[in-house]
Amino acid sequence: MNQNDLLNLRHATLDEARNDMYERLSSRDANYSLDAPLYNDPHMFRIDMEEVFQKEWLFVGMSSEVPKRGDYFTVEIGQNPVLVIRDADGSVNAFHNTCRHRGSRLCTEKHGKVANLVCPYHQWTYDLKGNLLFAGMEMGNGFDKQKHGLKRAHCKTAGGFVFVCLANEAPKGDFDDFLQTLEEYMEPYDVENTKLAIESNMYERANWKLVLENNRECYHCAANHPELLNTLLEWDDTNDPRAPKDFLDHYQAQADKWDAESIPHAHKSFGPGLRNRIVRMPLKKGTQAMTIDGEAACKKLLGRVNNPELGSMRILHLPNSWNHMQSDHFIVFRVLPISAQETMVTTKWFVHKDAVEGVDYDPERLRKVWDATNEQDRVLGEQNQLGINSIAYQPGPYSETYEFGVMNFIEWYSDTMLKNLKK
């Protein structure tokens, strides 16, 4: 069998996998988990990457990570290295992090600062807007630099959040409506005047969908997250069917204080499966932040915030992010697939840009609760994956009262895949 035969066989196998995926998603029971191949099959994973992570808007980081001209951060979206950089005009742009000469990665560090972008391989040089400035006389007199600028990725920012899309044409719909609301809800925090205090990258041997499913319910919290439950109330919002009256009374008392300071808190959601969702929820009575003792983790409050009891404003963006905004710091989470059964979960903690480490905040105290929670979730996700890999696994039923968030996620995933597979 020659190389062309192998290539044709691979394509045929992938086409079969696409058809198989379409049939499985079309006929699935909405109240049950997915079939095993959707969690562990390499071909199905490749389709996930092509139809979700190379087509949809993805959260990659915060604009305050690139505060000045030439500041950049990098991110790996499957096999696609991406570079996010602030240019001389103050705009935040995203480029494919690959040189137009022979494809080498330009920036190899997670964070950095440059005057221009210089390829380490042969020193091709680009400005901060991706224009090719220098390729050397070796390319000859007929070489046109204007045709060899960096390839852009779609990039949008709102409320300090940076999103990219790798598709040739970015999807439309209600994403811009979400960004407008995000801008409004993030205004009190003044993200441009925050800084990255801590970054954690956790490797998890589980499919990315299992990571998201775990996040979308607190059914498992009581038995697994003692540190988190020191402050977190598990009710998802005031419409949570399990929410008792004392929680609703607590919410209303806090909401009255938020209204007095013009702090947005009403539940806003956009898209199928509540894909984009913002809601502010109070923490337990007498607590201020998600720390081990419930006290604030940083002495400097964010932006125009005066009330230390802002609770947690929860922001969801599918397919790859959930976030907790608090009065003194905020935490963002980014999920990026590696393989069918491997995922990278990145957690970042942000504080006021003038906060001094060791004086205004203690990094270990800042991160303690979520380090513990992430590790607990890693173990749960990996055990979930191992069970799904068993020949005995078959899709199981979701609880409509405890796992409605998981059902929403699977609804979004299924609708998105079916839509994209049709194209």
Side-chain angles (χ1 to χ4, degrees):
M1 184 176 289
N2 61 34
Q3 187 174 6
N4 287 335
D5 290 334
L6 287 171
L7 187 63
N8 290 334
L9 178 61
R10 186 187 72 176
H11 287 167
T13 303
L14 189 61
D15 286 340
E16 291 173 1
R18 293 173 74 89
N19 291 333
D20 184 20
M21 177 181 277
Y22 190 89
E23 291 301 318
R24 289 177 186 274
L25 292 176
S26 297
S27 59
R28 75 177 186 92
D29 189 325
N31 294 329
Y32 278 68
S33 58
L34 298 173
D35 290 341
L38 290 157
Y39 294 117
N40 61 18
D41 181 80
H43 293 292
M44 299 280 189
F45 172 77
R46 178 175 170 181
I47 299 167
D48 274 0
M49 295 306 297
E50 291 179 353
E51 302 301 334
V52 175
F53 286 87
Q54 293 177 21
K55 287 187 177 180
E56 300 297 318
W57 284 103
L58 307 175
F59 168 70
V60 290
M62 303 301 291
S63 61
S64 60
E65 296 180 66
V66 288
K68 297 180 180 179
R69 169 182 175 169
D71 290 337
Y72 72 83
F73 66 82
T74 59
V75 62
E76 307 291 323
I77 303 172
Q79 294 182 334
N80 298 288
V82 174
L83 164 70
V84 176
I85 192 165
R86 193 179 291 266
D87 66 23
D89 299 332
S91 300
V92 177
N93 301 310
F95 299 99
H96 289 271
N97 188 17
T98 177
C99 183
R100 292 296 309 281
H101 178 210
R102 284 167 54 190
S104 177
R105 281 199 309 168
L106 290 167
C107 297
T108 59
E109 301 298 324
K110 289 182 179 178
H111 295 88
K113 186 179 184 64
V114 293
N116 290 303
L117 295 161
V118 181
C119 179
Y121 202 174
H122 300 97
Q123 285 69 59
W124 278 34
T125 303
Y126 307 82
D127 66 18
L128 302 183
K129 290 187 178 294
N131 302 305
L132 180 60
L133 299 177
F134 171 80
M137 297 301 294
E138 298 83 0
M139 300 310 297
N141 294 331
F143 178 71
D144 188 350
K145 290 188 294 185
Q146 293 184 356
K147 294 182 179 179
H148 293 83
L150 295 181
K151 291 192 175 181
R152 284 181 174 267
H154 300 284
C155 183
K156 292 189 176 185
T157 62
F161 285 75
V162 181
F163 301 91
V164 301
C165 176
L166 303 185
N168 291 330
E169 183 176 344
K172 298 177 182 178
D174 52 21
F175 186 65
D176 285 339
D177 293 334
F178 166 63
L179 295 187
Q180 183 176 349
T181 302
L182 185 60
E183 187 78 33
E184 174 191 350
Y185 275 54
M186 287 299 297
E187 176 272 328
Y189 298 96
D190 189 15
V191 171
E192 292 299 317
N193 284 306
T194 66
K195 67 178 180 181
L196 177 62
I198 306 164
E199 177 174 339
S200 164
N201 291 284
M202 184 181 71
Y203 169 75
E204 185 169 337
R205 289 185 173 90
N207 184 273
W208 69 274
K209 292 187 289 296
L210 295 179
V211 176
L212 266 294
E213 287 185 33
N214 173 270
N215 170 261
R216 297 317 306 138
E217 50 91 355
C218 211
Y219 190 16
H220 69 281
C221 289
N224 294 280
H225 295 320
E227 296 86 357
L228 183 62
L229 292 184
N230 283 340
T231 59
L232 180 72
L233 292 166
E234 64 179 282
W235 324 120
D236 206 46
D237 61 37
T238 54
N239 295 320
D240 191 315
R242 302 165 298 146
K245 185 177 185 304
D246 61 343
F247 163 73
L248 298 177
D249 291 342
H250 175 45
Y251 172 87
Q252 190 57 55
Q254 295 295 87
D256 290 342
K257 295 178 182 178
W258 301 335
D259 285 335
E261 292 190 39
S262 299
I263 301 293
H265 59 84
H267 179 162
K268 300 284 186 179
S269 57
F270 306 84
L274 305 183
R275 174 189 187 175
N276 296 302
R277 180 177 180 275
I278 307 175
V279 62
R280 186 182 303 281
M281 285 287 104
L283 297 174
K284 283 187 175 179
K285 289 182 180 180
T287 64
Q288 299 178 347
M290 290 178 173
T291 55
I292 201 68
D293 60 4
E295 297 295 319
C298 183
K299 294 178 182 177
K300 291 187 178 295
L301 298 184
L302 300 173
R304 64 173 179 85
V305 174
N306 293 312
N307 178 6
E309 295 187 6
L310 284 194
S312 168
M313 187 169 77
R314 307 174 188 180
I315 302 172
L316 172 70
H317 171 70
L318 299 178
N320 79 318
S321 181
W322 63 87
N323 313 276
H324 287 280
M325 306 293 142
Q326 300 162 82
S327 59
D328 65 318
H329 72 283
F330 62 83
I331 314 163
V332 299
F333 301 83
R334 183 184 70 204
V335 174
L336 290 173
I338 300 173
S339 75
Q341 300 184 44
E342 299 172 293
T343 303
M344 184 63 69
V345 180
T346 298
T347 308
K348 299 180 181 183
W349 290 258
F350 290 80
V351 297
H352 194 287
K353 71 174 184 179
D354 295 332
V356 178
E357 181 179 332
V359 176
D360 296 306
Y361 67 97
D362 173 7
E364 293 306 312
R365 185 168 176 275
L366 187 68
R367 67 187 296 171
K368 185 173 184 178
V369 167
W370 278 107
D371 275 354
T373 303
N374 285 343
E375 175 62 17
Q376 292 151 2
D377 281 335
R378 181 192 64 78
V379 173
L380 293 171
E382 291 182 352
Q383 293 302 316
N384 197 181
Q385 182 72 65
L386 291 171
I388 286 173
N389 291 345
S390 167
I391 59 173
Y393 168 78
Q394 66 182 62
Y398 294 127
S399 164
E400 294 187 15
T401 52
Y402 281 84
E403 295 172 298
F404 57 88
V406 183
M407 294 171 64
N408 288 338
F409 165 59
I410 296 300
E411 174 193 351
W412 170 83
Y413 169 75
S414 299
D415 289 351
T416 299
M417 291 301 295
L418 290 172
K419 176 193 68 177
N420 288 348
L421 285 167
K422 283 181 180 179
K423 294 180 179 178

